[in-house]
């Protein structure tokens, strides 16, 4: 689970294991202040370290980058502790040796990549304008209704990201979308238990109904339910709690479970769309590369584009997700806008901000 990517001069190590604790342990081996481990960076990259220590100018140094995969917040604390411990030691510290450590949250990046490519607001209906020349406008009285099936790594990140992104208005060309009501539905066998954990992890969020707190803008609904049973489909057709959902994310763990759940939700929402103008999109995880590509090609023939697969292994662990280049470019543009800086070439700037300064 320790991978080295050699460059012409610089070196990158990737700590990539399904178990976050294993990645943390590997990190401590690499940067232990006692230099006891055979996998310590000073031994693995002896020539690079010697070169950097001999350089008088920082611009002459070659970076040693360590990417550690972890979804847990304590990973950031560990990294801060590592830098603090090295500063207090007698040996040259990580900063002098030009060692940079970045925590990679692959599921967080994956979800934000999804929201970048398929925004929440893409499900809102826009009228056709008027013969007198009135520009098309977003139809009023619409609600963004997110359905999350499976509250694992992807589902949990989608819940937080959806809650965060759903509070903003959006401007694109002539279409100006004002703030619309937001609701998030969560279906999981253990939804109530996981809700209690969310309340502990995010005490600032009210995971109830917005009407109970005037300052909130989102209604949350949690259902302890198995998606393979009739009580789940009844939520669409009988009790109708899910009859108005329009943005769906499915991640149950196994590809076959995600595929079956996507088909079930599509069938139920298609039935609803027979009697009303209901626009929706279903995003579901397919990790297997070949299966993902095959289904993606199948969905490409759908002119409505209401089904979308994402989250294959290559996408999750690929460089675009690790470095989140497109998201970083957007962040640079927004940052410069707020700071009233002149336009810059974001292609040149991306990679400099955030990557080496996590």
């Amino acid at each position: 689970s320790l991978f080295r990517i050699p460059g012409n001069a610089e070196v990158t190590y990737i700590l990539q294991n399904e178990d976050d604790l294993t990645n943390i342990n590997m990190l401590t081996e690499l940067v232990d202040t006692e230099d006891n481990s055979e996998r310590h960076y000073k031994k693995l990259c002896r020539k690079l370290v010697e070169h950097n220590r001999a350089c008088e100018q920082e611009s002459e140094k070659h970076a040693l980058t360590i990417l550690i995969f972890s979804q847990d917040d304590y990973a950031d604390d560990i990294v801060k502790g590592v830098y603090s411990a090295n500063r207090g030691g007698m040996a040259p510290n990580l900063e002098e040796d030009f060692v940079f450590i970045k925590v990679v949250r692959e599921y967080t990046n994956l979800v934000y990549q999804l929201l970048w490519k398929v925004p929440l607001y893409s499900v809102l209906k826009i009228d056709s304008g008027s013969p007198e020349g009135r520009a098309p406008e977003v139809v009023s009285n619409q609600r963004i209704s997110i359905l999350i099936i499976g509250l694992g790594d992807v589902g949990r990140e989608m819940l937080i990201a959806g809650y965060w992104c759903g509070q903003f208005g959006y401007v694109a060309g002539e279409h100006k979308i004002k703030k619309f009501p937001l609701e998030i539905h969560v279906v999981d066998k253990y939804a109530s238990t996981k809700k209690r954990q969310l309340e502990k992890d995010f005490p600032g969020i009210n995971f109830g109904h917005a009407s109970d707190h005037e300052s909130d803008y989102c209604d949350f609904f949690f259902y302890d339910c198995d998606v393979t049973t009739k009580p789940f489909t009844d939520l669409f057709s009988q009790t109708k709690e899910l009859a108005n959902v329009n943005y769906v994310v499915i991640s149950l763990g196994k590809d076959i479970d995600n595929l079956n759940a996507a088909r079930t939700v599509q069938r139920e929402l298609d039935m609803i769309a027979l009697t009303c103008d209901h626009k929706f999109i279903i995003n579901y995880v397919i990790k297997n590369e070949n299966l993902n590509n095959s289904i993606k090609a199948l969905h490409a023939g759908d002119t409505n584009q209401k089904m979308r697969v994402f989250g294959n292994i290559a996408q999750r662990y690929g460089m675009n997700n690790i470095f989140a280049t497109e998201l970083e470019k957007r962040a640079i543009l927004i940052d410069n806008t707020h700071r009233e800086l002149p336009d810059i070439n974001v292609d040149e700037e991306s990679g400099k901000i955030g990557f080496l300064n996590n």
Side-chain angles (χ1 to χ4, degrees):
S1 299
L2 175 64
F3 303 98
R4 172 171 171 160
I5 304 177
N8 293 331
E10 301 184 348
V11 174
T12 300
Y13 277 99
I14 299 179
L15 313 183
Q16 183 179 319
N17 189 287
E18 289 291 335
D19 179 23
D20 286 354
L21 184 57
T22 299
N23 294 334
I24 293 292
N25 289 336
M26 285 192 291
L27 175 65
T28 57
E29 282 190 68
L30 278 170
V31 298
D32 178 30
T33 54
E34 301 298 326
D35 303 358
N36 292 326
S37 172
E38 289 300 318
R39 294 201 294 186
H40 196 279
Y41 78 87
K42 294 177 184 176
K43 298 176 182 177
L44 294 175
C45 305
R46 180 175 53 81
K47 291 184 178 180
L48 182 144
V49 171
E50 290 175 352
H51 167 82
N52 287 343
R53 291 183 182 180
C55 291
E56 295 183 1
Q57 301 295 327
E58 191 172 276
S59 59
E60 300 173 352
K61 295 183 177 182
H62 304 315
L64 168 58
T65 304
I66 301 173
L67 305 176
I68 174 172
F69 282 71
S70 177
Q71 285 294 128
D72 292 291
D73 291 336
Y74 65 71
D76 286 319
D77 296 331
I78 294 291
V79 171
K80 292 176 183 176
V82 164
Y83 276 100
S84 297
N86 273 264
R87 288 191 186 101
M90 296 297 292
N93 60 44
L94 295 175
E95 293 170 340
E96 290 179 47
D97 285 344
F98 224 51
V99 178
F100 299 93
I101 304 171
K102 175 180 172 61
V103 178
V104 178
R105 292 181 172 83
E106 69 270 31
Y107 296 109
T108 303
N109 292 351
L110 189 68
V111 165
Y112 276 103
Q113 297 275 14
L114 171 65
L115 289 170
W116 169 255
K117 296 174 182 176
V118 189
L120 295 176
Y121 307 102
S122 62
V123 297
L124 297 179
K125 290 170 283 190
I126 300 175
D127 66 22
S128 56
S130 68
E132 293 78 22
R134 178 180 61 80
E137 295 180 352
V138 178
V139 178
S140 60
N141 299 320
Q142 294 188 77
R143 180 177 293 271
I144 298 173
S145 183
I146 303 171
L147 170 60
I148 299 171
I149 299 179
L151 204 55
D153 289 323
V154 173
R156 180 183 166 98
E157 290 299 326
M158 180 61 211
L159 184 145
I160 300 303
Y163 174 78
W164 172 252
C165 294
Q167 68 182 300
F168 294 110
Y170 176 69
V171 178
E174 296 179 346
H175 307 285
K176 185 174 183 180
I177 298 177
K178 297 180 180 179
K179 186 174 170 183
F180 284 80
L182 174 69
E183 60 185 31
I184 298 178
H185 300 263
V186 177
V187 174
D188 190 282
K189 287 182 180 180
Y190 310 102
S192 296
T193 301
K194 294 180 179 181
K195 176 187 176 183
R196 289 193 289 272
Q197 185 61 49
L198 286 167
E199 289 171 338
K200 293 179 182 178
D201 295 340
F202 302 96
I205 300 177
N206 166 38
F207 290 101
H209 298 168
S211 57
D212 299 335
H213 297 77
E214 293 183 359
S215 61
D216 292 329
Y217 56 88
C218 179
D219 287 317
F220 286 94
F221 304 90
F222 291 81
Y223 310 90
D224 293 313
C225 191
D226 185 339
V227 296
T228 64
T229 63
K230 187 176 182 297
F232 174 66
T233 55
D234 284 347
L235 292 172
F236 293 91
S237 57
Q238 300 298 322
T239 57
K240 298 189 181 301
E241 283 96 331
L242 302 181
N244 295 315
V245 298
N246 47 23
Y247 196 99
V248 183
V249 175
I250 302 173
S251 179
L252 291 166
K254 295 181 180 179
D255 285 349
I256 188 61
D257 293 339
N258 295 336
L259 182 58
N260 288 335
R263 287 171 173 170
T264 299
V265 174
Q266 181 188 15
R267 182 181 67 246
E268 295 299 325
L269 292 180
D270 278 341
M271 289 291 291
I272 293 170
L274 290 175
T275 57
C276 64
D277 182 16
H278 185 60
K279 184 179 179 182
F280 63 88
I281 185 167
I282 300 171
N283 309 278
Y284 59 104
V285 172
I286 296 294
K287 291 182 284 189
N288 181 275
E289 185 80 14
N290 294 328
L291 182 60
N292 185 293
N293 291 336
S294 297
I295 297 176
K296 188 179 296 182
L298 178 66
H299 291 332
D302 178 14
T303 55
N304 294 323
Q305 296 182 334
K306 56 188 177 184
M307 302 287 285
R308 187 179 186 279
V309 292
F310 74 107
N312 61 40
I313 298 298
Q315 184 181 3
R316 186 180 306 173
Y317 296 114
M319 289 301 171
N320 286 337
N321 196 47
I322 292 175
F323 298 106
T325 309
E326 291 304 318
L327 298 180
E328 187 181 43
K329 289 179 183 178
R330 183 68 173 176
I332 293 171
L333 289 173
I334 293 173
D335 182 62
N336 286 340
T337 299
H338 283 286
R339 294 165 60 190
E340 298 182 350
L341 296 177
D343 292 337
I344 61 172
N345 187 327
V346 293
D347 291 314
E348 293 180 358
E349 289 298 313
S350 63
K352 298 178 183 178
I353 300 176
F355 172 45
L356 296 181
N357 301 285
N358 183 55

